Amino acid sequence: MAESHYMTQEGLEKLKKDLEDSLAQRPVISAAIAEAREKGDLSENAEYDAAREAQALLELKIAKLKNLVANAKVIDESQIGTDKVQMMNKVKVENLTAKMMMEFTIVGEAEADFSAGKLAATTPIAKALIGHGKGEIVEAHVPSGVMKLKIVDITL
């Protein structure tokens, strides 16, 4: 059974666009392979090898994107509450260990982008927060040690 990938409608649309763009690259790479093939001896043809490698990477990307799209489960944002931390919540926490405030939205792995404040639900921090409410202190076991976090606010 395939693993479900939870995401927003916006995230699904982005994945579909990435897939469409990747599929559009197939003819470009095929043409590059054909052009390199015409240059003679394939055993010593760096252009041919590079084009074949690009094709293999593209096919891998397409397979991954098709899997994500096929197994996407769009989360109905109207069903999300703010009493306990869950997927799609924006969470403001006080990092008691580093004495700083942090804010992020908990999303599915396919939409995670730490620089944009989108934290994958599969990360140690998100796992520690999910299911807990405002005011609670939780411990997240991260690679650098244990992080104590106080949940300050939960919003949509």
Side-chain angles (χ1 to χ4, degrees):
M1 188 169 122
E3 182 181 336
S4 295
H5 301 283
Y6 294 95
M7 62 187 65
T8 60
Q9 185 63 43
E10 175 186 337
L12 178 59
E13 295 307 319
K14 184 180 179 296
L15 280 179
K16 286 180 178 179
K17 174 81 170 92
D18 287 350
L19 177 58
E20 185 180 307
D21 292 347
S22 295
L23 289 170
Q25 286 299 307
R26 275 181 167 163
V28 174
I29 291 181
S30 292
I33 290 171
E35 184 179 319
R37 189 178 291 134
E38 290 173 6
K39 293 185 178 178
D41 185 8
L42 298 182
S43 64
E44 295 180 19
N45 189 329
E47 283 182 50
Y48 178 77
D49 291 341
R52 293 287 297 173
E53 187 174 326
Q55 181 184 42
L57 291 172
L58 179 66
E59 291 305 322
L60 218 80
K61 180 179 180 180
I62 288 171
K64 182 181 177 188
L65 288 169
K66 281 183 174 182
N67 176 48
L68 288 171
V69 170
N71 295 298
K73 300 285 184 226
V74 176
I75 296 172
D76 181 356
E77 295 185 53
S78 69
Q79 301 297 311
I80 298 172
T82 57
D83 54 331
K84 300 274 185 204
V85 177
Q86 58 185 305
M87 291 278 291
M88 306 315 301
N89 279 145
K90 183 177 275 188
V91 184
K92 186 174 188 177
V93 296
E94 181 181 354
N95 181 334
L96 301 174
T97 308
K99 309 221 182 321
M100 61 184 277
M101 296 298 276
M102 302 176 352
E103 193 170 332
F104 38 76
T105 302
I106 297 178
V107 297
E109 207 162 318
E111 290 183 83
D113 180 359
F114 193 74
S115 64
K118 294 182 176 185
L119 188 66
T122 55
T123 62
I125 293 172
K127 284 180 178 179
L129 293 171
I130 291 175
H132 293 278
K134 189 174 173 180
E136 288 187 53
I137 295 175
V138 299
E139 288 186 353
H141 297 271
V142 296
S144 61
V146 177
M147 187 184 286
K148 283 189 178 248
L149 304 167
K150 180 179 181 183
I151 302 169
V152 177
D153 199 15
I154 306 167
T155 59
L156 293 177

